[in-house]
PDB file of all heavy atoms in Angstrom:
ATOM      1  N   SER A 174      40.424 171.636 152.054  1.00  0.00           N
ATOM      2  CA  SER A 174      39.615 172.631 152.755  1.00  0.00           C
ATOM      3  C   SER A 174      38.164 172.488 152.382  1.00  0.00           C
ATOM      4  O   SER A 174      37.255 172.534 153.223  1.00  0.00           O
ATOM      5  CB  SER A 174      40.123 174.035 152.429  1.00  0.00           C
ATOM      6  OG  SER A 174      41.467 174.162 152.817  1.00  0.00           O
ATOM      7  N   GLU A 175      37.914 172.294 151.117  1.00  0.00           N
ATOM      8  CA  GLU A 175      36.527 172.190 150.644  1.00  0.00           C
ATOM      9  C   GLU A 175      35.880 170.907 151.180  1.00  0.00           C
ATOM     10  O   GLU A 175      34.729 170.881 151.600  1.00  0.00           O
ATOM     11  CB  GLU A 175      36.500 172.211 149.122  1.00  0.00           C
ATOM     12  CG  GLU A 175      35.087 172.210 148.549  1.00  0.00           C
ATOM     13  CD  GLU A 175      35.100 172.291 147.048  1.00  0.00           C
ATOM     14  OE1 GLU A 175      36.203 172.403 146.474  1.00  0.00           O
ATOM     15  OE2 GLU A 175      34.016 172.217 146.441  1.00  0.00           O
ATOM     16  N   SER A 176      36.690 169.805 151.183  1.00  0.00           N
ATOM     17  CA  SER A 176      36.157 168.530 151.683  1.00  0.00           C
ATOM     18  C   SER A 176      35.830 168.626 153.158  1.00  0.00           C
ATOM     19  O   SER A 176      34.812 168.104 153.626  1.00  0.00           O
ATOM     20  CB  SER A 176      37.166 167.412 151.430  1.00  0.00           C
ATOM     21  OG  SER A 176      37.417 167.305 150.051  1.00  0.00           O
ATOM     22  N   ALA A 177      36.717 169.281 153.908  1.00  0.00           N
ATOM     23  CA  ALA A 177      36.476 169.437 155.343  1.00  0.00           C
ATOM     24  C   ALA A 177      35.212 170.207 155.605  1.00  0.00           C
ATOM     25  O   ALA A 177      34.433 169.891 156.491  1.00  0.00           O
ATOM     26  CB  ALA A 177      37.675 170.116 155.998  1.00  0.00           C
ATOM     27  N   ALA A 178      34.984 171.237 154.810  1.00  0.00           N
ATOM     28  CA  ALA A 178      33.764 172.030 154.988  1.00  0.00           C
ATOM     29  C   ALA A 178      32.538 171.192 154.698  1.00  0.00           C
ATOM     30  O   ALA A 178      31.518 171.277 155.391  1.00  0.00           O
ATOM     31  CB  ALA A 178      33.805 173.255 154.081  1.00  0.00           C
ATOM     32  N   ASN A 179      32.620 170.348 153.688  1.00  0.00           N
ATOM     33  CA  ASN A 179      31.469 169.496 153.347  1.00  0.00           C
ATOM     34  C   ASN A 179      31.192 168.480 154.446  1.00  0.00           C
ATOM     35  O   ASN A 179      30.041 168.175 154.777  1.00  0.00           O
ATOM     36  CB  ASN A 179      31.729 168.781 152.023  1.00  0.00           C
ATOM     37  CG  ASN A 179      31.744 169.766 150.860  1.00  0.00           C
ATOM     38  OD1 ASN A 179      31.138 170.830 150.949  1.00  0.00           O
ATOM     39  ND2 ASN A 179      32.429 169.393 149.778  1.00  0.00           N
ATOM     40  N   VAL A 180      32.245 167.888 155.029  1.00  0.00           N
ATOM     41  CA  VAL A 180      32.078 166.902 156.090  1.00  0.00           C
ATOM     42  C   VAL A 180      31.425 167.514 157.305  1.00  0.00           C
ATOM     43  O   VAL A 180      30.526 166.937 157.928  1.00  0.00           O
ATOM     44  CB  VAL A 180      33.438 166.268 156.451  1.00  0.00           C
ATOM     45  CG1 VAL A 180      33.328 165.409 157.704  1.00  0.00           C
ATOM     46  CG2 VAL A 180      33.936 165.455 155.280  1.00  0.00           C
ATOM     47  N   CYS A 181      31.873 168.684 157.649  1.00  0.00           N
ATOM     48  CA  CYS A 181      31.296 169.366 158.807  1.00  0.00           C
ATOM     49  C   CYS A 181      29.816 169.628 158.604  1.00  0.00           C
ATOM     50  O   CYS A 181      28.995 169.478 159.501  1.00  0.00           O
ATOM     51  CB  CYS A 181      32.045 170.669 159.077  1.00  0.00           C
ATOM     52  SG  CYS A 181      33.738 170.407 159.640  1.00  0.00           S
ATOM     53  N   SER A 182      29.492 170.040 157.406  1.00  0.00           N
ATOM     54  CA  SER A 182      28.085 170.346 157.143  1.00  0.00           C
ATOM     55  C   SER A 182      27.231 169.097 157.131  1.00  0.00           C
ATOM     56  O   SER A 182      26.055 169.121 157.487  1.00  0.00           O
ATOM     57  CB  SER A 182      27.968 171.078 155.803  1.00  0.00           C
ATOM     58  OG  SER A 182      28.424 170.240 154.750  1.00  0.00           O
ATOM     59  N   CYS A 183      27.834 167.929 156.796  1.00  0.00           N
ATOM     60  CA  CYS A 183      27.072 166.671 156.773  1.00  0.00           C
ATOM     61  C   CYS A 183      26.907 166.110 158.178  1.00  0.00           C
ATOM     62  O   CYS A 183      25.862 165.559 158.526  1.00  0.00           O
ATOM     63  CB  CYS A 183      27.761 165.645 155.886  1.00  0.00           C
ATOM     64  SG  CYS A 183      27.728 166.125 154.142  1.00  0.00           S
ATOM     65  N   ASN A 184      27.932 166.178 159.026  1.00  0.00           N
ATOM     66  CA  ASN A 184      27.886 165.611 160.379  1.00  0.00           C
ATOM     67  C   ASN A 184      27.004 166.411 161.301  1.00  0.00           C
ATOM     68  O   ASN A 184      26.448 165.888 162.256  1.00  0.00           O
ATOM     69  CB  ASN A 184      29.302 165.505 160.952  1.00  0.00           C
ATOM     70  CG  ASN A 184      30.120 164.469 160.192  1.00  0.00           C
ATOM     71  OD1 ASN A 184      29.549 163.564 159.589  1.00  0.00           O
ATOM     72  ND2 ASN A 184      31.451 164.588 160.268  1.00  0.00           N
ATOM     73  N   SER A 185      26.943 167.650 161.071  1.00  0.00           N
ATOM     74  CA  SER A 185      26.119 168.473 161.960  1.00  0.00           C
ATOM     75  C   SER A 185      24.654 168.276 161.588  1.00  0.00           C
ATOM     76  O   SER A 185      24.241 168.655 160.499  1.00  0.00           O
ATOM     77  CB  SER A 185      26.535 169.940 161.842  1.00  0.00           C
ATOM     78  OG  SER A 185      26.361 170.381 160.519  1.00  0.00           O
ATOM     79  N   GLY A 186      23.915 167.639 162.440  1.00  0.00           N
ATOM     80  CA  GLY A 186      22.505 167.360 162.159  1.00  0.00           C
ATOM     81  C   GLY A 186      21.651 168.578 162.327  1.00  0.00           C
ATOM     82  O   GLY A 186      22.136 169.649 162.680  1.00  0.00           O
ATOM     83  N   PRO A 187      20.391 168.441 162.103  1.00  0.00           N
ATOM     84  CA  PRO A 187      19.490 169.584 162.278  1.00  0.00           C
ATOM     85  C   PRO A 187      19.372 169.954 163.739  1.00  0.00           C
ATOM     86  O   PRO A 187      19.707 169.164 164.623  1.00  0.00           O
ATOM     87  CB  PRO A 187      18.173 169.062 161.704  1.00  0.00           C
ATOM     88  CG  PRO A 187      18.270 167.586 161.814  1.00  0.00           C
ATOM     89  CD  PRO A 187      19.697 167.234 161.659  1.00  0.00           C
ATOM     90  N   PRO A 188      18.924 171.091 164.063  1.00  0.00           N
ATOM     91  CA  PRO A 188      18.794 171.530 165.465  1.00  0.00           C
ATOM     92  C   PRO A 188      17.876 170.606 166.244  1.00  0.00           C
ATOM     93  O   PRO A 188      16.966 169.979 165.685  1.00  0.00           O
ATOM     94  CB  PRO A 188      18.205 172.944 165.330  1.00  0.00           C
ATOM     95  CG  PRO A 188      18.570 173.372 163.952  1.00  0.00           C
ATOM     96  CD  PRO A 188      18.562 172.123 163.134  1.00  0.00           C
ATOM     97  N   ALA A 189      18.120 170.516 167.589  1.00  0.00           N
ATOM     98  CA  ALA A 189      17.354 169.587 168.452  1.00  0.00           C
ATOM     99  C   ALA A 189      15.920 169.972 168.581  1.00  0.00           C
ATOM    100  O   ALA A 189      15.039 169.146 168.769  1.00  0.00           O
ATOM    101  CB  ALA A 189      18.010 169.511 169.846  1.00  0.00           C
ATOM    102  N   ASP A 190      15.597 171.253 168.540  1.00  0.00           N
ATOM    103  CA  ASP A 190      14.232 171.710 168.728  1.00  0.00           C
ATOM    104  C   ASP A 190      13.419 171.669 167.472  1.00  0.00           C
ATOM    105  O   ASP A 190      12.312 172.176 167.410  1.00  0.00           O
ATOM    106  CB  ASP A 190      14.228 173.122 169.308  1.00  0.00           C
ATOM    107  CG  ASP A 190      15.029 174.072 168.440  1.00  0.00           C
ATOM    108  OD1 ASP A 190      15.733 173.571 167.496  1.00  0.00           O
ATOM    109  OD2 ASP A 190      15.009 175.298 168.686  1.00  0.00           O
ATOM    110  N   ASP A 191      13.932 171.067 166.440  1.00  0.00           N
ATOM    111  CA  ASP A 191      13.198 171.018 165.169  1.00  0.00           C
ATOM    112  C   ASP A 191      12.330 169.774 165.162  1.00  0.00           C
ATOM    113  O   ASP A 191      12.821 168.658 165.362  1.00  0.00           O
ATOM    114  CB  ASP A 191      14.189 170.988 164.012  1.00  0.00           C
ATOM    115  CG  ASP A 191      13.466 171.176 162.684  1.00  0.00           C
ATOM    116  OD1 ASP A 191      12.231 171.246 162.699  1.00  0.00           O
ATOM    117  OD2 ASP A 191      14.173 171.233 161.644  1.00  0.00           O
ATOM    118  N   ASP A 192      11.019 169.906 165.026  1.00  0.00           N
ATOM    119  CA  ASP A 192      10.077 168.790 165.050  1.00  0.00           C
ATOM    120  C   ASP A 192      10.297 167.831 163.916  1.00  0.00           C
ATOM    121  O   ASP A 192      10.010 166.649 164.007  1.00  0.00           O
ATOM    122  CB  ASP A 192       8.633 169.302 164.994  1.00  0.00           C
ATOM    123  CG  ASP A 192       8.296 170.080 166.258  1.00  0.00           C
ATOM    124  OD1 ASP A 192       8.958 169.851 167.283  1.00  0.00           O
ATOM    125  OD2 ASP A 192       7.376 170.931 166.176  1.00  0.00           O
ATOM    126  N   SER A 193      10.755 168.298 162.854  1.00  0.00           N
ATOM    127  CA  SER A 193      10.930 167.427 161.701  1.00  0.00           C
ATOM    128  C   SER A 193      12.105 166.511 161.860  1.00  0.00           C
ATOM    129  O   SER A 193      12.377 165.694 161.012  1.00  0.00           O
ATOM    130  CB  SER A 193      11.096 168.282 160.426  1.00  0.00           C
ATOM    131  OG  SER A 193      12.250 169.086 160.545  1.00  0.00           O
ATOM    132  N   SER A 194      12.830 166.685 162.996  1.00  0.00           N
ATOM    133  CA  SER A 194      14.007 165.858 163.181  1.00  0.00           C
ATOM    134  C   SER A 194      13.665 164.460 163.704  1.00  0.00           C
ATOM    135  O   SER A 194      14.515 163.602 163.728  1.00  0.00           O
ATOM    136  CB  SER A 194      14.990 166.549 164.140  1.00  0.00           C
ATOM    137  OG  SER A 194      14.386 166.711 165.392  1.00  0.00           O
TER     138      SER A 194
END
Side-chain angles (χ1 to χ4, degrees):
S174 301
E175 184 178 357
S176 300
N179 292 335
V180 171
C181 292
S182 62
C183 293
N184 293 336
S185 60
D190 55 350
D191 190 356
D192 294 337
S193 62
S194 62

